[in-house]
């Protein structure tokens, strides 16, 4: 990919090229402008008049244009008369498009409009040009277009005034443009385009607000590179722009912030020599000078909030439309500065990494074939970090494969120094608490759960809550949604290298040991020192470790000890009393060492150990966490009163545990009590007085029958989990748990709640009572209405947005009621839960999902799998993101389409799992396949798409299967999604919206990218037959609206079952819907006249046209209003008011004693006796009334039309056929067409009796339903035949299985005899193996002795060599000293001899004198 730097980065000869008409301005304006530019030091090209020879522009002029950064076009009166000028203009505009050349226009004594539209002198010039170039009309046209385009560019217009001022303004602007040189981005900006696009989308340049954007990530990830590329992309749209690079380093110098402020003002305002003096003055000057200017400002590499406060303190500092981009390693700086728009720079994917590495290592976009494998190894080591990829590629460039292998092996133990220096900048800026936490995580805790790490760090007197938050903000570690800590491999290597450098050659002098070879060396050699604070011994494979009793004891400052995957032999190992945290998996002894003093221990983790705890806990005053999970020999928990500060006790999977000491109930600081899957325990301490308790987990204690008695108000209790227990009754004092948020009682088969204590928990957010058949959450009252026990008044199925639930759970967010025998009446209550986000009503018996579910506006997840009786869906929450309707095989086509469409029309997160529809899908796919894979091409931005897969089950019911959807781009795996399906009946469709488009964009490295989508079944229950029979992709268009899908869906309904033509669609209407549609009609009046059915019942009564006449005198043409979505006479009355007002001038009824008010529904007679006679008389009255006001003098009924009669005969013929023949597709269409046509005719044929009309209308509605039901019955019949056939096959299979079993028994007998022989043979071999093992042990002892002797000899030799080398260095000096000593010795000896001689002479003289 080409560099993103613009053409300014290319080599140019001239700053400015001047295009002008010589005879107009050479000696005047253009000459003066050239002189002013030259005096400012701007290298300007102005052509020599002598160059203009001939018709065609010279190549030298064309080259000059291409070699200039800015072109200034000076339009004057006669500019268009010169073909040279026009050719120059065309070339200049070509350079603008192709090379990004800046073009400015000057209109000198000419109107821009004349240039734009070629008027005045330009019109005259073009008249001559068209005559002159009659055979080159395209060339003239190109000139015209060029003039129009150039006249629309920004520029200057001079008509009068001071010319020198005008020229000065041009020179100033040119100078400003030249000073704004685009930044050098990267030699090989691989993957940069997608990331720049992501940042640009956050900038929203079309918006006029001031926006600040933060770009953050670890060191070397490419933050500055992205910021530079974004700056180059958009800086032309800002008159004022500045890029302040490496603010961290600049601000660290004396008066650094003040100089940065001065630099900012200079780059934006162009004022030199500005001196601010101090930061506070600079803040005010920046605010005052820039508050009305639209600026582009990049503040690069910020590491302190003071830097932001001094340079970009607030949004009001800058003018509308300004954009400020900030890069930092510390996300918290952005949060502290209230920057809400942030972009985290992601590491490069493998394709991008390999490409960038190849450019550095091979100077091309891909590695050499022979280097491919080792290049992939290098790329994996760098883990997508651009800095590391570039450095490694440069270091390895030109080297052999063997040298590559050696270098990569070295990097495993000693990371690359250049990379480490960059990464260490973040570490060096940390405070002591964060540094210690970082080193612990790098050495011990990468990949661990946050809760575990926090406990361990607190045990070492650190502060993990704030410390880990700081490290996350600085991108040194990551914390995913599961609470798992992770970090980039190179950052982890950096942390380990910091520890290694504490003592490069002697591991025993380092603060932390994590490499198992170093740990074993230190422990076996006894070279550990007081500097060791933490040890983690985690062996790659389980092996025996021999330790002496005192090997650990002498590490007097050891605070953290973690041992995993090791088997210890050699007796009890003494532990140092300095320990704060002990995590020893499979601890080999039944108790801790007797010499161990546990006063300092804070965290004790002994999972899967042999511990038995036969003695009470004593002197554990500081212990806060105790984990004894999966200790199979643990029978009881002794007295724990010696652990007064215990906050957490975990006793999971202790299968032999039967007793817990009563003292546990008196730990007033206990926060978490976890006794899970302890299958032998039958009771807990009788009284638990635990005021600090926040969570109690009793899951899987299958023999626990009594819920513990928790005393007090338990104000801190938030979570109770007790699924799959034998608890029979909830305690009455649960009413005191007013702050309880999570209650899980799943699969408690014997659980009851006679005191209805659940209803007293107003702060519940999650309730799971799935599979509790005796827990009657929904109680039947005497009035046979269905009420939730916590909510004495159930919410009914009518629209009342003002309803607020004052009972039950106002804060409930998750409710799980699977397998709770819920009926239709029970579902209405859920509409009261206004905060519900997740609802599980799977495996229940209701028939209809009611309309009131529309009001669950916050519901995001709806699980209703295996609701085998569910037939129709009337209401679906609008914000659902996940819907699971697996095995809801009774759903009708209309509801199934509604379910699928509900998710599909959303262009955001959604997922739907449902039975495979019998009708075509209610939407179209851009790409599809009749198997599990498909492929297509896209551009450089991944579109928003929805994926659809259908699964065909060969055996109609599958207990379990799983599939994986993989998206590959250009052959590289880009995305993978796994989905598990449980208890599936019938074929299945899975529809979901593809997420993580930003990540997918990083794989789009070509102009056209090949995408492959595949769905593969990778796991299923034995004997299952599941295939992917369809896959489809729908691409959302930018202007696509959700309602378009709704229209498509409604069109599909026309061909589905249970439908009729839109103009005659009479749908059943609930009384609640009638209340919605006719709010002005009181329910009391409707009930008094029989027009409302009993509460919560549906009515199938269809109002005939005569009934409508009874309410309003209307003509039969008004029957067109039958096309209302949900037809209701109350609504129809309101719709016909206008038509009634129009007709009442022509139709006047004579008042009688029996006249009723048509607007008064209460007096509408609804009796069905003598109905036809009644409507006939009413019809006659209408004609009589008309006779009083028209020329018609007598009542005349028209005869039945011939068309109606023929249609009735066809209908009669169809009715004579068997229903089975009519249900066939062709007959069904004929029947419906006949009925629809007949309904249209009788609507205008008044001679047809009202009874016949009613019968035909009813027949049309019923036939549609019957055809659907008949087809469903046929399907069930076929299904039952298949099942019975399968049963017969199974019967035969059972017989065959019995025969096969007999054969297997015979084979088993033979194999048993053979096994006896082999076991005897094995015993013989084991005896031989024992002898060999003994010899091996002897040899190992001898070898170990030899190894120790070798090491001692080596150490002795190394020491002797060091002494020898030291003496060698002193050899010359010693020899010099030796010679000097000899000289001195000789001198002294000579002097001594002389003194002796002199003394002798004196004595001789003395003797003579004496």
């Amino acid at each position: 990919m080409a560099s993103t730097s613009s053409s300014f980065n290319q080599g140019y000869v001239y700053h400015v090229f001047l295009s002008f008409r010589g005879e107009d301005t050479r000696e005047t304006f253009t000459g003066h402008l050239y002189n002013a530019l030259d005096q400012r030091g701007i290298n300007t090209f102005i052509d020599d008049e002598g160059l203009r020879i001939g018709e065609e522009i010279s190549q030298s002029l064309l080259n000059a244009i291409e070699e200039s950064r800015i072109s200034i076009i000076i339009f004057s009166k006669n500019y268009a008369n010169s073909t040279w000028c026009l050719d120059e203009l065309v070339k200049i505009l070509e350079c603008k498009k192709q090379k990004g050349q800046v073009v400015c226009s000057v209109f000198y004594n000419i109107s821009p409009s004349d240039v734009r539209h070629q008027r005045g002198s330009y019109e005259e010039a073009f008249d001559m040009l068209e005559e002159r170039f009659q055979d080159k009309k395209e060339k003239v046209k190109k000139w015209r277009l060029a003039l129009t385009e150039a006249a629309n560019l920004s520029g200057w217009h001079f008509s009068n005034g001071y010319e020198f001022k005008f020229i000065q303004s041009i020179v100033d602007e040119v100078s400003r443009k030249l000073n704004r040189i685009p930044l050098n981005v990267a030699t090989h900006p691989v993957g940069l385009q997608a990331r720049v696009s992501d940042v640009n989308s956050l900038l929203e340049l079309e918006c006029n607000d001031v926006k600040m954007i933060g770009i953050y990530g670890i060191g070397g990830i490419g933050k500055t590179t992205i910021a530079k590329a974004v700056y180059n992309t958009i800086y032309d749209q800002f008159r004022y722009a500045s890029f302040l690079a490496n603010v961290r380093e600049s601000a660290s110098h004396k008066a650094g912030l003040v100089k940065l402020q001065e630099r900012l003002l200079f780059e934006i305002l162009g004022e030199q020599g500005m001196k601010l003096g101090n930061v506070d003055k600079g803040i005010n000057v920046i605010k005052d000078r820039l508050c009305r200017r639209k600026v582009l400002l990049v503040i690069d590499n910020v590491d302190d909030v003071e830097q932001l406060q001094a340079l970009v303190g607030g949004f009001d500092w800058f003018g509308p439309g300004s954009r400020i981009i900030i890069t930092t390693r510390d996300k918290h700086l952005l949060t502290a500065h209230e920057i809400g728009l942030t972009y985290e720079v992601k590491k490069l994917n493998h394709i991008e990494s390999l490409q960038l590495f190849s450019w550095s290592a091979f100077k091309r976009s891909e590695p050499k074939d022979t280097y491919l494998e080792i290049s992939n190894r290098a790329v994996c080591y760098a883990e997508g970090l651009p800095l590391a990829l570039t450095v490694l590629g440069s270091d390895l460039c030109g080297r052999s494969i063997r040298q590559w292998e050696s270098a990569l092996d070295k990097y495993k133990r000693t990371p690359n120094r250049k990379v480490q220096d960059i990464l260490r900048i973040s570490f060096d800026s940390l405070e002591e608490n964060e540094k210690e936490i970082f080193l612990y995580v790098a050495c011990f805790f990468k990949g661990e759960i946050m809760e575990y790490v926090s406990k361990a760090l607190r045990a070492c007197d650190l502060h993990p809550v704030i410390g880990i938050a700081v490290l996350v903000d600085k991108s040194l570690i990551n914390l995913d949604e599961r609470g798992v800590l992770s970090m980039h491999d190179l950052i982890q290597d950096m942390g380990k290298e910091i520890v290694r450098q504490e003592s490069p050659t002697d591991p025993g002098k380092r603060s932390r040991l994590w490499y198992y070879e170093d740990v074993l060396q230190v422990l076996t050699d006894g070279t550990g020192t007081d500097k060791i604070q933490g040890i983690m011994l985690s062996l790659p494979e389980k092996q025996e470790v021999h330790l002496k009793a005192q090997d650990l004891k002498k590490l007097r400052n050891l605070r953290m000890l973690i041992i995993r995957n090791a088997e210890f032999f050699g007796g009890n190992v003494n532990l140092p009393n300095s320990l704060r945290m002990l995590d020893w998996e499979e601890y080999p002894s039944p108790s801790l060492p007797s010499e161990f003093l546990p006063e300092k221990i804070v965290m004790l983790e002994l999972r899967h150990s042999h511990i038995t705890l036969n003695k009470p806990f004593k002197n554990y005053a500081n212990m806060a966490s105790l984990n004894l999970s999966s200790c199979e020999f643990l029978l009881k928990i002794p007295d724990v009163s010696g652990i007064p500060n215990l906050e957490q006790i975990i006793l999971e999977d202790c299968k032999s545990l039967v007793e817990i000491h009563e003292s546990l109930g008196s730990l007033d600081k206990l926060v978490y009590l976890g006794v899970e899957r302890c299958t032998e325990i039958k009771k807990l301490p009788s009284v638990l007085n635990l005021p600090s308790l926040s969570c109690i987990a009793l899951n899987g204690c299958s023999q626990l029958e009594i819920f513990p008695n928790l005393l007090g108000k338990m104000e801190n209790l938030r979570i109770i989990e007790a699924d799959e227990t034998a608890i029979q009754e909830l305690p009455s004092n649960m009413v005191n748990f007013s702050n309880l948020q999570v209650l899980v009682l799943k699969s408690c088969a014997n659980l009851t709640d006679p005191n209805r204590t659940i209803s007293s928990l107003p702060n519940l957010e999650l309730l799971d009572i799935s599979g509790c058949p005796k827990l009657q959450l929904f109680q039947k009252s005497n009035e046979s209405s269905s009420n939730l026990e916590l909510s004495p008044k159930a919410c009914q199925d009518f629209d009342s947005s003002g309803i607020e639930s004052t009972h039950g759970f106002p804060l409930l967010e998750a409710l799980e009621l699977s397998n709770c025998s819920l009926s239709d009446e029970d579902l209405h209550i859920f509409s009261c839960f206004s905060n519900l986000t997740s609802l599980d009503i799977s495996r229940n018996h209701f028939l209809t999902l009611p309309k009131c579910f529309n009001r669950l506006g916050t519901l995001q997840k709806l699980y209703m799998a295996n609701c085998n009786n569910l037939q129709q869906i009337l209401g679906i929450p609008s914000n659902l993101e996940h819907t699971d309707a697996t095995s809801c095989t009774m759903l009708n086509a209309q509801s199934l389409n509604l379910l699928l469409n509900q998710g599909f029309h959303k262009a955001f997160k959604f997922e739907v799992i449902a039975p495979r529809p019998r009708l075509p899908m209610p939407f179209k796919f851009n790409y599809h396949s009749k198997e599990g894979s498909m492929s297509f091409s896209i551009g450089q931005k991944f579109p928003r798409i929805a994926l659809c897969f259908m699964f065909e089950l060969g055996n109609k019911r599958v207990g379990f299967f799983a599939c994986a959807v993989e998206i590959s781009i250009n052959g590289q795996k880009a995305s993978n999604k796994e989905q598990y399906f449980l208890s599936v009946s019938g074929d299945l469709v899975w529809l979901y919206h593809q997420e993580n488009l930003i990540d997918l964009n990083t794989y789009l490295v070509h102009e056209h990218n090949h995408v492959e989508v595949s769905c593969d079944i990778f796991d299923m229950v034995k004997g299952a037959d599941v295939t992917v029979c369809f896959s489809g992709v729908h691409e959302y268009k930018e202007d696509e609206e959700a309602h378009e899908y709704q229209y498509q869906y409604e069109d599909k309904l026309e061909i589905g079952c249970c439908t009729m033509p839109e103009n005659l669609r009479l749908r059943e209407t609930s009384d609640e819907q009638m209340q919605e549609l006719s709010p002005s009609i009181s329910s009391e009046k409707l009930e008094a006249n029989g027009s409302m059915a009993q509460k919560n019942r549906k009515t199938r009564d269809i109002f005939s046209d005569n009934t409508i006449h009874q309410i309003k005198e209307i003509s039969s043409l008004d029957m067109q209003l039958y096309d209302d979505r949900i037809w209701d006479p109350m609504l129809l009355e309101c719709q016909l008011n206008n038509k009634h007002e129009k007709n009442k001038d022509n139709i006047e009824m004579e008042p009688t004693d029996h006249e009723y008010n048509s607007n008064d529904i209460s007096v509408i007679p609804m009796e069905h006796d003598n109905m036809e006679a009644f409507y006939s008389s009413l019809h006659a009255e209408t004609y009589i009334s008309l006779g009083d006001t028209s020329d018609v003098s007598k009542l005349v009924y028209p005869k039945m039309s011939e068309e109606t009669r023929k249609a009735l005969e066809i209908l009669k013929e169809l009715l004579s056929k068997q229903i089975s023949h009519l249900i066939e597709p062709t007959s069904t269409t004929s029947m419906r067409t006949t009925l629809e046509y007949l309904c249209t005719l009788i609507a205008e044929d008044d001679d047809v009796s009202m009874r016949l009309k009613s019968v035909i209308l009813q027949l049309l509605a019923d036939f549609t339903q019957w055809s659907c039901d008949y087809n469903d019955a046929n399907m069930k019949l076929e299904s039952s035949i298949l099942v019975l056939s399968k049963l017969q096959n199974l019967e035969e299979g059972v017989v065959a299985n019995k025969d096969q079993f007999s054969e297997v028994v015979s084979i088993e007998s033979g194999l048993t005899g053979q096994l006896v022989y082999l076991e005897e043979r094995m015993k013989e071999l084991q005896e031989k193996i024992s002898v060999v093992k003994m010899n091996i042990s002897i040899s190992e002892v001898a070898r170990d002795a030899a190894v120790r002797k070798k090491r001692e000899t080596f150490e002795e030799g190394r020491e002797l060599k060091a002494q020898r080398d030291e003496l060698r260095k002193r050899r010359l000096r010693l020899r010099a000293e030796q010679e000097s000593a000899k000289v001195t010795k000789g001198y002294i000896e000579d002097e001594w001899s002389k003194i002796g001689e002199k003394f002798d002479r004196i004595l001789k003289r003395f003797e003579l004198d004496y």
Side-chain angles (χ1 to χ4, degrees), residues 777-827:
L777 190 64
F778 294 90
Q779 301 290 341
K780 299 291 183 179
S781 66
N782 294 333
E783 293 77 10
S784 298
S785 62
S786 177
N787 292 312
L788 183 63
E789 64 168 7
L790 342 171
S791 183
K793 182 177 181 180
C795 298
Q796 300 302 322
D797 189 10
F798 57 87
D799 187 9
S800 180
S801 58
I803 288 181
E804 294 183 2
S805 177
T806 58
H807 305 85
F809 316 112
L811 303 180
L812 193 66
E813 295 181 357
L815 180 58
E816 299 188 21
L817 298 172
S818 65
N819 197 20
C820 284
S821 301
L822 299 180
S823 64
D824 285 37
E825 294 177 342
D826 299 326
L827 300 187

Side-chain angles (χ1 to χ4, degrees), residues 17 543 1085:
F17 177 89
Q543 68 181 66
K1085 291 183 179 182

Side-chain angles (χ1 to χ4, degrees), residues 289-304:
R289 299 295 299 274
L290 304 184
C291 65
R292 290 172 296 276
R293 288 178 167 86
K294 177 182 176 181
V295 303
L296 170 62
L297 180 58
V298 178
I299 311 295
D300 175 53
N301 197 13
V302 177
D303 70 344
D304 196 319

Side-chain angles (χ1 to χ4, degrees), residues 399-564:
R399 301 187 185 276
S400 67
I401 292 180
R402 189 174 179 182
Q403 291 173 330
W404 279 44
E405 291 174 344
S406 176
L408 293 176
D409 289 339
K410 182 192 74 171
Y411 291 151
K412 285 184 178 180
R413 296 300 300 268
T414 308
N416 183 279
R417 174 60 59 188
K418 297 177 184 177
V419 177
Q420 294 300 306
D421 289 345
I422 297 297
L423 296 178
R424 182 158 181 168
I425 293 173
S426 298
F427 175 82
D428 292 337
S429 66
L430 298 174
E431 296 184 0
E432 195 62 31
N433 177 69
E434 284 70 40
K435 285 183 177 180
E436 288 294 309
I437 291 176
F438 172 78
L439 294 178
Y440 271 120
V441 173
C443 296
F444 299 153
F445 298 131
K446 179 182 177 181
E448 296 288 352
I449 299 294
M450 172 68 173
E451 180 184 5
Y452 170 82
V453 177
S454 295
K455 291 189 297 183
L457 295 175
R458 281 198 300 269
C460 296
D461 294 331
L462 296 173
H463 306 281
V465 176
I466 182 62
I468 290 178
V470 169
L471 296 177
V472 170
D473 286 338
K474 290 183 178 294
S475 301
L476 289 173
I477 64 175
N478 299 313
L479 184 63
D480 66 15
E481 64 277 2
R482 300 172 299 163
V484 176
L485 288 175
S486 62
M487 62 171 51
H488 195 284
D489 286 346
L490 293 178
I491 292 181
Q492 183 184 30
D493 291 345
M494 181 260 291
K496 291 181 177 180
E497 179 65 11
I498 291 173
V499 176
R500 195 185 71 84
Q501 287 297 326
E502 295 172 355
S503 178
T505 59
D506 188 356
K509 295 181 180 179
R510 300 173 191 163
S511 61
R512 297 164 181 84
L513 298 177
W514 64 91
Y515 188 53
Y516 70 94
E517 291 186 356
D518 291 340
V519 175
L520 293 177
Q521 175 187 336
V522 169
L523 294 180
T524 55
D525 294 349
T527 57
T529 66
D530 294 346
K531 293 183 179 181
I532 299 178
Q533 301 178 22
I535 290 178
M536 181 177 72
L537 177 57
S538 181
L539 300 174
E541 295 181 0
K542 183 170 288 188
Q543 68 181 66
E544 298 178 359
V545 177
H546 297 269
L547 289 182
K548 298 177 183 178
Q550 301 300 318
D551 284 344
L552 290 172
K553 180 74 173 179
K554 59 186 179 182
L555 303 178
R556 293 179 299 177
N557 288 325
L558 185 65
R559 309 171 75 182
M560 184 179 294
L561 177 60
I562 303 172
I563 297 177
R564 294 168 187 165

